[in-house]
Amino acid sequence: MTLAELWVQQLLNAVSIGSMYALLAIGLAMVFGILRLINFAHGDLLMVGAYVLIYAVAAGIPFWVAFLLSVAAAALLGVLMERLAYRPVRGQHEVVLLLTSFGVTMLLENSAILAFSPRTRPFPLPEALSGVYHVGHVVMSGIDLAALASALVLLVGLNLVVTRTKLGVSMRAAAEDLTAAHLVGIHLDRVVLAAFAIGSALAGVAGLLWAAKSGRVEPLMGFTPVLKAFVATVIGGLGSIGGAVLGGYLLGLAEVALQAVLPPGLTGYRDGFVFILLILVLLVRPHGLLGKAEGDRV
Amino acid sequence: MIERWQARVRAMSLLAGLALLALALLGLQYGASTYVQRVAVDIGIMIILTVSLNLSNGYTGVFSLGHTGFMALGAYGSALLTMTPQVKALNLPDLPAWLAHVHLGFLPALVLVGLAAAAVALAVGYPILRLTGPYVAVATLGFLVIVHIVIINAQAYTRGARTFLGLAPLTNLWWVYGAVVVTIYTAWRIVNSPIGRAMLAVREDPVAARGAGVDILRARLWSFAVSAFFTAVAGALWAHFILAFSASSFWFAVTFEVIVMLIVGGLGSISGSVAATVALSILSEVLRNAERGVTLFGYHTPALYGLSQIVFALVFIAFIVYRPQGLFGDREFSLWPILARWYPPLREAVMAGRQLAE
C-alpha cells in the first residue's frame, strides 16, 4: 500500500464514521437550539429503529420497506417523546430538561430489555450492502458506501429544507430568538414537532448504519453513539446545525487520527482522549466552532 | 433563653437519635435474617451516596453526572489497599511491586481512598466547575466515561472488564452506619457553616453571590471535593460488601439510581435524601424480587428483567414534571415544631423568642 493509498483509506474511514456522527448530531443540535434541551434519549431512537427493522425483516417484509418503516418509527418515537415527556417541562432550567431526558433514556432502555430481552441479536444485512470493494489497495465496504451516500443525500436535502422552506426558516428563527420568533407569529409547537421528527428520522438512518457496521443490535446500543454525537455537537457549537455536521466529521477524523497515532498499548484509551477533547473544547471555546457565544462562566 | 432551650433540645435529640440508631442496629444484628441485614447495609450505602451527591448537586447548582467515577475509585482503590499480598499475587499478578506489598486496615483504606478521590475532584473540578448549567453536567459525564475507559484498560490494577475478586468481607452494619452518621453530620455542619451559606448563595444566584464577595469557584470546589470523599468511601464500603464487581458496576444504572433518590428527596434537603433513599431502596428491593418472577394466588409471573428500573424511571419523570422540588424541597425535617406543639413551656418560649425578634 502506497502512502497516498493509506491516506485515502484513512480519510474514507474517517468520512464514513463521521457521516454517522453528523447524522446523529443534527437532531441533538436542532432540539438544543430551540429548546435548550440536551436529549440523552436521542440514542435510543437508533436502538428502537434497529429493532423495528429486525422484526420487520423477520416478518418477511423486504429490506428497503423495512428500512423506511424503521426510520418512520424513529421519527414517531421522537415526536411522542417530545409530546409526553419534554413538553410538560418546556422552558424550565436546562438541568431539569437534561434530567428528564435521562429519565426517558432509562425508561426506553429498560422497556427494551423487558420487551426484546437483553441479549444481542445479529443485524440482518441485505446482500446488496454486504459486499467489499477494492480500488487499488483501498478497501471499502458496502456499508461505508451507504453511509457516504445517505449522508450526502440527507445533508443536501436538509440544507434545502432549512434554507428554502418556510418551516426551515421558522426553525432557524426559533433557535435564534424564541421570544422574537413567537412575536412574529411562528407556531412554536409546530417548529418543535418538526425538529423532533426530522432529527429523529436522521437518527433512525444513523442507527441502521451503526447497527449494520457493528453487526449487533441490543437494548443499550444507543449510548456510545449518542455520547459521541454529543461531543460532535459541542465541538461544532451546541445548537448549530452546520456546527453539528462539521463536528461530526471532525470527530470522525480525530478518532481515525488517534487510532493511527496512539502507540498500540494506548489505543484502548482512544475514546478517553475523545472525551478529554470534549472537556478541552468546553473550557477553551464553550460555544464551539460555529455556535454563538452565550452563557456566563465563573 | 430560647437559644439555651434549642441547644439543649438539639443535643438531646442528637443523643437520642444515636441511641435509637444503635438499638436498631443491635436489633438488626441479633434479630434479623441475613437478607434483611444485607438490605440494611445496601440502604446505608445508598444514603451516603445520595447525601454526598446532594452536597455537590443540591447546594451549589453544579449538577454532576460523574460521581459514580469517584465511587469506582473508592471501590478499586480500597480493594488494592486491603487485599493481602498473597491474594494480590493470585488475582493481580501484574501489579507494580510497591502496591503488591501494601496491606492496610479497613479504616486507613477508607480514609485514604476518600482523600484520593477528593484530590482527584479538586484536580478535575478546577477546570470544569467554571462551566455552568448543562455544560458542567456534560463535562462531568465525560469524566465518568474517562474513568470507565481507564478501568477497562488498566488491566494490571483492575482486571479490565473482567470481574474483580479477592476482597475480604470487611463491611458490616456498624461500618456502614458509622459512615452514614459521619456523612450526615459533616454535610449538616457544612451546610450550616459560612461556606455552606456561600454555596447556597451560589446556587440561588451566582451573579449576586459574586457581588456579595463569594468566591464561587472555591465554594463549588469545596463541596465537590467533600462530596467526592464520601462518595469514594461509599464505593469502598460497597466493594467490601458485594465482594465481586466489574467496570460495568460503576456505570449509568447506579448513577441514575442515586440521581432519582436525590431528586425525589429534594435538592438541598439532607433529611429528604435520607427519607427518599430508604423508601426507594425498599421499593427497589421489592421490585427486584418481582423481576425474578413471583407466585401470586397460584399464578406464577414470568421473569420481568428491567421492571425495577422502569418503575424508577416513571417515578423520576413524574416527580420532575409534577413535583420538581421533591418530597422535602430544600427544607429539613425538624422535631422543633412537633415538640413545640406537645410541650407548652417550649411553645411559650418560641413565641417569646419570636416577639423579641420582631
Side-chain angles (χ1 to χ4, degrees), chain A residues 32 36 38 40 84-85 88-89 92-96 98-100 102-104 106-107 110-115 118 223 227 230 234 238 265-273 275-276 278-279 282-283 286-287 294-298, chain B residues 61 63 65 127-143 145-146 149-150 153-155 206-207 210 216-217 220 251-253 255-256 259 263 303-307 309-311 313-314 316-317 320-321 324:
Chain A
F32 187 86
R36 317 265 320 149
I38 294 179
F40 248 109
L84 297 177
V89 292
Q92 293 199 32
H93 193 272
E94 290 141 350
V95 171
V96 174
L98 173 68
L99 288 177
T100 311
F102 218 58
V104 172
M106 293 316 275
L107 186 63
N110 287 289
S111 302
I113 289 176
L114 191 63
F223 215 92
L227 281 181
F230 262 141
V234 170
L238 270 168
L266 284 179
T267 47
Y269 289 98
R270 190 195 68 192
D271 285 357
F273 286 103
F275 284 91
I276 290 175
L278 164 79
I279 293 175
L282 280 175
L283 289 173
H287 49 279
E294 56 169 294
D296 51 334
R297 298 220 315 164
V298 179
Chain B
F63 211 98
L65 296 176
I128 68 179
L129 293 182
R130 290 156 200 270
L131 300 165
T132 52
Y135 298 97
V136 77
V138 170
T140 50
L141 187 67
F143 166 70
V145 175
I146 292 169
I149 291 167
V150 169
N153 284 284
Q155 302 209 5
V207 180
R210 184 159 33 189
I216 300 182
L217 184 60
R220 284 181 174 176
W251 201 222
F252 289 94
T255 307
F256 183 64
I259 287 176
I263 296 288
L304 298 168
Y305 296 110
L307 179 71
Q309 296 268 354
I310 291 174
V311 173
L314 287 173
F316 180 67
I317 296 173
I320 289 249
V321 172

Side-chain angles (χ1 to χ4, degrees), chain B residues 274-324:
Chain B
V274 176
T277 305
V278 174
L280 286 175
S281 295
I282 292 172
L283 176 68
S284 151
E285 197 54 41
V286 171
L287 289 169
R288 263 180 227 161
N289 288 335
E291 270 182 10
R292 290 177 209 118
V294 285
T295 308
L296 266 182
F297 310 113
Y299 171 74
H300 193 72
T301 63
L304 298 168
Y305 296 110
L307 179 71
S308 66
Q309 296 268 354
I310 291 174
V311 173
F312 259 59
L314 287 173
V315 167
F316 180 67
I317 296 173
F319 261 88
I320 289 249
V321 172
Y322 297 109
R323 202 176 159 80

Side-chain angles (χ1 to χ4, degrees), chain B residues 42-343:
Chain B
D42 209 32
I43 290 177
I45 293 170
M46 289 309 290
I47 289 178
I48 305 175
L49 288 174
T50 313
V51 170
S52 52
L53 189 66
N54 203 345
L55 202 53
S56 156
N57 292 12
Y59 288 96
T60 57
V62 165
F63 211 98
S64 162
L65 296 176
H67 264 58
T68 309
F70 297 122
M71 190 185 165
L73 203 156
Y76 282 99
S78 65
L80 289 175
L81 294 176
T82 60
M83 279 157 68
T84 60
Q86 294 88 323
V87 173
K88 281 189 214 176
L90 196 67
N91 286 315
L92 302 160
D94 301 325
L95 219 53
W98 63 272
L99 201 54
H101 298 293
V102 175
H103 182 210
L104 293 180
F106 201 25
L107 186 63
L110 290 179
V111 175
L112 270 180
V113 291
L115 291 175
V120 171
L122 288 178
V124 171
Y126 188 74
I128 68 179
L129 293 182
R130 290 156 200 270
L131 300 165
T132 52
Y135 298 97
V136 77
V138 170
T140 50
L141 187 67
F143 166 70
L144 175 58
V145 175
I146 292 169
V147 170
H148 187 74
I149 291 167
V150 169
I151 292 176
I152 286 183
N153 284 284
Q155 302 209 5
Y157 300 87
T158 62
R159 291 170 55 87
R162 289 175 300 159
T163 305
F164 190 95
L165 302 157
L167 291 85
L170 299 174
T171 298
N172 59 29
L173 279 169
W174 301 94
W175 278 108
V176 170
Y177 282 88
V180 167
V181 169
V182 174
T183 309
I184 292 178
Y185 184 73
T186 311
W188 184 75
R189 283 305 292 260
I190 289 179
V191 170
N192 290 294
S193 72
I195 194 121
R197 298 291 165 209
M199 279 155 57
L200 281 176
V202 172
R203 184 190 68 181
E204 294 302 324
D205 190 339
V207 180
R210 184 159 33 189
V214 174
D215 184 342
I216 300 182
L217 184 60
R218 196 161 144 251
R220 284 181 174 176
L221 274 175
W222 249 97
S223 62
F224 199 56
V226 175
S227 154
F229 179 95
F230 286 109
T231 303
V233 169
L237 289 167
W238 187 78
H240 289 86
F241 164 66
I242 210 84
L243 304 181
F245 50 86
S246 66
S248 61
S249 311
F250 307 99
W251 201 222
F252 289 94
V254 57
T255 307
F256 183 64
E257 208 171 332
V258 178
I259 287 176
V260 173
M261 289 170 180
L262 177 64
I263 296 288
V264 169
L267 281 168
S269 169
I270 297 170
S271 40
S273 288
V274 176
T277 305
V278 174
L280 286 175
S281 295
I282 292 172
L283 176 68
S284 151
E285 197 54 41
V286 171
L287 289 169
R288 263 180 227 161
N289 288 335
E291 270 182 10
R292 290 177 209 118
V294 285
T295 308
L296 266 182
F297 310 113
Y299 171 74
H300 193 72
T301 63
L304 298 168
Y305 296 110
L307 179 71
S308 66
Q309 296 268 354
I310 291 174
V311 173
F312 259 59
L314 287 173
V315 167
F316 180 67
I317 296 173
F319 261 88
I320 289 249
V321 172
Y322 297 109
R323 202 176 159 80
Q325 73 274 36
L327 288 175
F328 281 53
D330 56 4
R331 286 163 306 160
E332 294 296 345
F333 171 78
S334 169
L335 276 178
W336 200 241
I338 302 172
L339 282 177
R341 184 176 305 160
W342 294 107
Y343 191 57

Side-chain angles (χ1 to χ4, degrees), chain B residues 344-355:
Chain B
L346 197 55
R347 191 168 56 217
E348 280 155 27
V350 172
M351 298 298 248
R354 221 173 258 161
Q355 272 167 6

